[in-house]
Amino acid sequence: MPDNLIETPNTLDFCQIFTTPTKPIIISEVKFASPSRGQIYPGQLNHVDIASSYINAGAAAVSVLAEPNYFKGSIDFIKDIRAAHPELHILLKDFVLSKKQIAQGLLCGANAVLLIATFLNKDLLKELYDYSLHCGLTPIIEVHNALELEQALQVSPRVIGINNRNLQTLEISLDTSGNLIKHIPDDCYVICESGIDNAVQIQEMKDIGLDGFLIGSMLMRHENPGMELQKLISEVRNES
């Protein structure tokens, strides 16, 4: 998609979620299925209803799976959610490998995009990172290990996501966040991805420097994900 089609870059700064007084900072995910779990969501709410329930429960932002085959998502989900919630911070989550996908995300209403380091070589990561900024989107670089983190830090990112899932074994360990956070500069916001199931874990990760939490499966396995988020946020505040 040519750059000249990007006439109106996004003006919502996704990083605002880290500077608001709302705590904890949870990015709740619209995620109907996954390769490891198959169908996740057992309820009847659609993507807009789920996003609305998250907002009402206190989510700082909403992550939307756009990948259709493994996650039962759609780029149109972002368009629908943006139409319903003009000021919402929305993260496009997909296997982003091209500028076209980033431009589509912008045109549908995303204001942040996930770039997964394990699928991108150094040059492509830099190209997609710079193009995201050109579009006014906040690129969040997802890493799984020290090598990917080293690659990510070369572009001086504002936001890094640490995915605690080992993509080879699919096993999850919060030790991944604990190990990698030590090597991330203080001026970079850090999001904990995968493996968060309760308020105690959130407090432990906050204590070692994690800024935000992307939570999907734990919420989406309930008929009313927003109600589960509300309960989780209440428990976290009681832990603090």
Side-chain angles (χ1 to χ4, degrees):
M1 187 170 293
D3 290 359
N4 60 12
L5 290 183
I6 308 303
E7 297 177 355
T8 309
N10 166 74
T11 57
L12 282 175
D13 182 4
F14 191 85
C15 287
Q16 287 177 342
I17 71 171
F18 300 108
T19 60
T20 61
T22 302
K23 304 289 182 181
I25 298 167
I26 295 179
I27 304 165
S28 303
E29 193 156 79
V30 178
K31 177 181 180 180
F32 290 98
S34 77
S36 60
R37 295 173 181 259
Q39 183 71 26
I40 296 173
Y41 181 56
Q44 301 300 315
L45 299 178
N46 64 27
H47 51 283
V48 176
D49 293 335
I50 292 169
S52 298
S53 75
Y54 283 152
I55 296 166
N56 292 335
V62 172
S63 170
V64 181
L65 263 301
E67 198 284 323
N69 297 317
Y70 299 104
F71 294 94
K72 308 302 180 187
S74 169
I75 193 71
D76 288 334
F77 288 177
I78 294 178
K79 185 186 300 184
D80 296 339
I81 293 169
R82 171 59 68 210
H85 301 284
E87 299 304 316
L88 175 64
H89 292 289
I90 301 176
L91 168 63
L92 162 62
K93 191 172 179 185
D94 198 349
F95 300 114
V96 174
L97 303 173
S98 70
K99 290 182 178 180
K100 179 179 179 181
Q101 290 170 281
I102 294 170
Q104 287 176 331
L106 169 69
L107 295 174
C108 286
N111 65 310
V113 58
L114 193 71
L115 302 178
I116 306 174
T118 195
F119 299 126
L120 306 170
N121 62 40
K122 181 178 71 172
D123 292 338
L124 184 56
L125 177 61
K126 172 65 172 171
E127 180 182 352
L128 297 183
Y129 185 88
D130 289 345
Y131 186 69
S132 299
L133 294 178
H134 167 74
C135 293
L137 303 181
T138 298
I140 299 172
I141 303 180
E142 177 181 291
V143 301
H144 302 79
N145 54 50
L147 185 62
E148 292 176 4
L149 175 58
E150 182 180 355
Q151 176 181 326
L153 290 177
Q154 291 180 16
V155 302
S156 301
R158 292 179 70 193
V159 190
I160 286 178
I162 300 177
N163 193 328
N164 298 298
R165 184 187 298 277
N166 183 310
L167 293 186
Q168 279 69 50
T169 65
L170 299 183
E171 293 179 356
I172 296 174
S173 173
L174 293 180
D175 289 341
T176 302
S177 283
N179 292 331
L180 295 184
I181 187 68
K182 303 171 187 176
H183 307 287
I184 299 176
D186 292 339
D187 61 354
C188 181
Y189 297 113
V190 186
I191 298 169
C192 182
E193 304 177 30
S194 299
I196 295 295
D197 290 315
N198 57 63
V200 172
Q201 292 172 325
I202 289 179
Q203 189 59 52
E204 289 174 349
M205 292 296 101
K206 285 173 61 181
D207 289 344
I208 63 172
L210 277 294
D211 299 294
F213 303 88
L214 195 157
I215 304 177
S217 299
M218 177 265 180
L219 301 173
M220 288 293 300
R221 61 178 179 242
H222 298 277
E223 290 190 10
N224 190 327
M227 187 177 296
E228 289 304 310
L229 175 61
Q230 188 174 43
K231 185 195 310 182
L232 178 63
I233 290 175
S234 176
E235 291 171 352
V236 172
R237 289 173 177 167
N238 290 336
E239 283 284 327
S240 301

